[in-house]
Amino acid sequence: MIYARAANGTIGKDGGMPWHLPTDLKRFKRLTTGHVLIMGRKTFESFPDPLPGRRHIVLTRDEDWGADGAEVAHSRAEALQLAGEEPVAIIGGAEVYALFEQEAERIELTQIHAKYEGDTFMDAPGPDWREIARDEYEAEDGRPAFSFVTFLRAER
């Protein structure tokens, strides 16, 4: 799973992110290129175009929905079947993260050290996760400080 989260849990507002962090976008591209992306319809629709170098599996309840560049799935199982054996990145939104969190092995989190208003929220990773890496970035050019944090599933 890969996502950015503000200090108050915000992950989205009005179908997008309420911040712009170019360093985070570059990391997202590096971590997801060559992977199958599983996302919800609203996440897919937040992109101006499908992201190059990645397959897009879109979970939706709408049986009639379709879009260029999207492989449509109507259930978690169907999304995983479409993905096959390829590496998968779960990229949002909150409902999709909740569907896959129990079987996820890794979280790549951008923890933003500022609060933002939003309409989509997630809790911080809980006790099922252990932090294995952290890189800190200072506030700069009107952008907030943030950390890239990698979590692995704790031993069960």
Side-chain angles (χ1 to χ4, degrees), residues 13 15 20 22 54 59 69 72-73 86-87 94 102-103 106 111 122 126 129 134 142 156:
K13 181 178 181 184
H20 180 70
R54 292 155 271 200
L59 274 165
V72 178
E86 294 183 54
Q102 288 301 313
E103 65 189 329
R106 181 184 201 102
Q111 181 61 63
M122 280 185 59
W129 298 95
R134 176 181 290 262
R156 295 182 196 210

Short mmCIF file of all heavy atoms in Angstrom, two decimals, residues 13 15 20 22 54 59 69 72-73 86-87 94 102-103 106 111 122 126 129 134 142 156:
data_model
loop_
_atom_site.label_atom_id
_atom_site.label_comp_id
_atom_site.label_asym_id
_atom_site.label_seq_id
_atom_site.Cartn_x
_atom_site.Cartn_y
_atom_site.Cartn_z
N LYS A 13 -9.09 15.43 -0.45
CA LYS A 13 -10.12 16.47 -0.39
C LYS A 13 -10.61 16.73 -1.81
O LYS A 13 -9.81 16.96 -2.72
CB LYS A 13 -9.57 17.77 0.20
CG LYS A 13 -10.62 18.85 0.31
CD LYS A 13 -10.08 20.11 0.94
CE LYS A 13 -11.21 21.13 1.03
NZ LYS A 13 -10.75 22.39 1.54
N GLY A 15 -11.63 14.88 -4.17
CA GLY A 15 -11.11 14.02 -5.22
C GLY A 15 -9.63 14.17 -5.52
O GLY A 15 -9.13 13.62 -6.50
N HIS A 20 0.81 19.71 -2.47
CA HIS A 20 1.59 19.39 -3.66
C HIS A 20 3.05 19.24 -3.24
O HIS A 20 3.69 20.22 -2.85
CB HIS A 20 1.45 20.48 -4.73
CG HIS A 20 2.25 20.18 -5.96
ND1 HIS A 20 1.91 19.17 -6.83
CD2 HIS A 20 3.39 20.74 -6.43
CE1 HIS A 20 2.81 19.13 -7.82
NE2 HIS A 20 3.71 20.08 -7.59
N PRO A 22 6.33 17.72 -4.88
CA PRO A 22 6.98 17.10 -6.03
C PRO A 22 7.88 15.91 -5.66
O PRO A 22 7.92 14.92 -6.39
CB PRO A 22 7.79 18.24 -6.65
CG PRO A 22 7.04 19.48 -6.25
CD PRO A 22 6.52 19.19 -4.86
N ARG A 54 2.25 1.49 -16.00
CA ARG A 54 1.52 0.78 -14.95
C ARG A 54 0.16 0.35 -15.45
O ARG A 54 -0.47 1.07 -16.20
CB ARG A 54 1.33 1.70 -13.73
CG ARG A 54 2.65 2.00 -13.04
CD ARG A 54 2.58 3.30 -12.28
NE ARG A 54 2.97 4.38 -13.18
CZ ARG A 54 3.39 5.56 -12.78
NH1 ARG A 54 3.44 5.85 -11.50
NH2 ARG A 54 3.71 6.49 -13.64
N LEU A 59 -11.50 -0.58 -8.92
CA LEU A 59 -12.63 -1.16 -8.21
C LEU A 59 -13.78 -0.18 -8.22
O LEU A 59 -13.61 0.99 -7.85
CB LEU A 59 -12.25 -1.45 -6.76
CG LEU A 59 -11.57 -2.77 -6.49
CD1 LEU A 59 -10.93 -2.77 -5.11
CD2 LEU A 59 -12.56 -3.90 -6.61
N GLY A 69 -7.89 2.84 -20.44
CA GLY A 69 -6.74 2.61 -19.57
C GLY A 69 -7.08 1.93 -18.26
O GLY A 69 -6.20 1.67 -17.46
N VAL A 72 -11.60 -2.95 -15.21
CA VAL A 72 -12.63 -2.78 -14.19
C VAL A 72 -12.81 -4.06 -13.38
O VAL A 72 -12.88 -5.16 -13.94
CB VAL A 72 -13.96 -2.36 -14.83
CG1 VAL A 72 -15.05 -2.22 -13.79
CG2 VAL A 72 -13.79 -1.06 -15.60
N ALA A 73 -12.88 -3.90 -12.06
CA ALA A 73 -13.19 -5.00 -11.15
C ALA A 73 -14.31 -4.54 -10.22
O ALA A 73 -14.39 -3.35 -9.88
CB ALA A 73 -11.96 -5.38 -10.34
N GLU A 86 1.60 -10.45 -10.99
CA GLU A 86 2.39 -9.22 -11.08
C GLU A 86 2.44 -8.50 -9.73
O GLU A 86 1.51 -8.62 -8.93
CB GLU A 86 1.81 -8.29 -12.14
CG GLU A 86 1.92 -8.83 -13.55
CD GLU A 86 1.40 -7.85 -14.57
OE1 GLU A 86 1.86 -6.71 -14.59
OE2 GLU A 86 0.51 -8.24 -15.35
N PRO A 87 3.50 -7.72 -9.47
CA PRO A 87 3.54 -6.93 -8.23
C PRO A 87 2.39 -5.93 -8.21
O PRO A 87 2.08 -5.31 -9.23
CB PRO A 87 4.88 -6.21 -8.28
CG PRO A 87 5.61 -6.74 -9.46
CD PRO A 87 4.67 -7.54 -10.30
N ALA A 94 -9.54 5.42 0.65
CA ALA A 94 -9.62 4.84 1.99
C ALA A 94 -10.37 3.51 2.00
O ALA A 94 -9.96 2.56 2.68
CB ALA A 94 -10.26 5.83 2.95
N GLN A 102 -5.56 -6.05 5.53
CA GLN A 102 -5.27 -7.28 6.28
C GLN A 102 -4.25 -8.18 5.59
O GLN A 102 -3.55 -8.92 6.26
CB GLN A 102 -6.57 -8.06 6.55
CG GLN A 102 -7.44 -7.40 7.59
CD GLN A 102 -6.72 -7.23 8.93
OE1 GLN A 102 -6.09 -8.16 9.42
NE2 GLN A 102 -6.81 -6.05 9.50
N GLU A 103 -4.16 -8.11 4.27
CA GLU A 103 -3.20 -8.97 3.58
C GLU A 103 -1.99 -8.22 3.04
O GLU A 103 -1.08 -8.84 2.50
CB GLU A 103 -3.88 -9.76 2.47
CG GLU A 103 -4.41 -8.92 1.36
CD GLU A 103 -5.27 -9.74 0.41
OE1 GLU A 103 -5.02 -10.94 0.24
OE2 GLU A 103 -6.20 -9.15 -0.14
N ARG A 106 3.39 -4.47 3.10
CA ARG A 106 4.24 -3.29 3.21
C ARG A 106 3.39 -2.04 3.05
O ARG A 106 2.45 -2.03 2.27
CB ARG A 106 5.30 -3.38 2.12
CG ARG A 106 6.29 -2.27 2.07
CD ARG A 106 7.22 -2.48 0.85
NE ARG A 106 8.43 -1.76 1.03
CZ ARG A 106 9.60 -2.27 1.40
NH1 ARG A 106 9.72 -3.56 1.61
NH2 ARG A 106 10.65 -1.52 1.55
N GLN A 111 4.32 10.76 5.43
CA GLN A 111 3.68 11.38 6.59
C GLN A 111 3.95 12.87 6.53
O GLN A 111 5.10 13.30 6.66
CB GLN A 111 4.20 10.80 7.91
CG GLN A 111 3.54 11.40 9.12
CD GLN A 111 2.03 11.15 9.13
OE1 GLN A 111 1.59 10.01 9.19
NE2 GLN A 111 1.25 12.22 9.08
N MET A 122 -7.52 8.53 6.98
CA MET A 122 -7.02 7.21 7.37
C MET A 122 -6.28 7.34 8.68
O MET A 122 -5.63 8.35 8.93
CB MET A 122 -6.07 6.64 6.32
CG MET A 122 -6.79 6.02 5.14
SD MET A 122 -5.69 5.22 3.97
CE MET A 122 -4.89 3.98 4.96
N GLY A 126 -1.16 0.86 12.56
CA GLY A 126 -1.29 0.43 13.96
C GLY A 126 -0.24 -0.57 14.38
O GLY A 126 0.81 -0.72 13.73
N TRP A 129 2.01 -3.20 12.36
CA TRP A 129 3.05 -2.73 11.47
C TRP A 129 4.28 -2.30 12.26
O TRP A 129 4.16 -1.74 13.33
CB TRP A 129 2.54 -1.55 10.64
CG TRP A 129 1.39 -1.95 9.77
CD1 TRP A 129 0.05 -1.82 10.06
CD2 TRP A 129 1.46 -2.60 8.52
NE1 TRP A 129 -0.70 -2.34 9.04
CE2 TRP A 129 0.14 -2.83 8.08
CE3 TRP A 129 2.52 -3.01 7.71
CZ2 TRP A 129 -0.15 -3.44 6.87
CZ3 TRP A 129 2.23 -3.62 6.50
CH2 TRP A 129 0.91 -3.83 6.10
N ARG A 134 12.95 5.42 7.63
CA ARG A 134 12.37 6.77 7.69
C ARG A 134 13.38 7.76 7.15
O ARG A 134 14.54 7.76 7.54
CB ARG A 134 12.01 7.12 9.14
CG ARG A 134 11.48 8.55 9.31
CD ARG A 134 11.17 8.84 10.78
NE ARG A 134 10.01 8.07 11.21
CZ ARG A 134 8.78 8.55 11.28
NH1 ARG A 134 8.53 9.81 10.92
NH2 ARG A 134 7.79 7.80 11.70
N GLY A 142 7.31 27.00 1.09
CA GLY A 142 5.89 27.00 1.41
C GLY A 142 5.28 25.62 1.52
O GLY A 142 4.08 25.48 1.73
N ARG A 156 3.06 -12.24 12.88
CA ARG A 156 1.74 -12.59 13.43
C ARG A 156 1.83 -13.73 14.38
O ARG A 156 2.62 -14.56 14.36
CB ARG A 156 0.77 -12.93 12.31
CG ARG A 156 0.51 -11.74 11.42
CD ARG A 156 -0.48 -12.09 10.34
NE ARG A 156 -0.41 -11.08 9.31
CZ ARG A 156 -1.43 -10.74 8.58
NH1 ARG A 156 -2.58 -11.29 8.73
NH2 ARG A 156 -1.30 -9.83 7.65
#
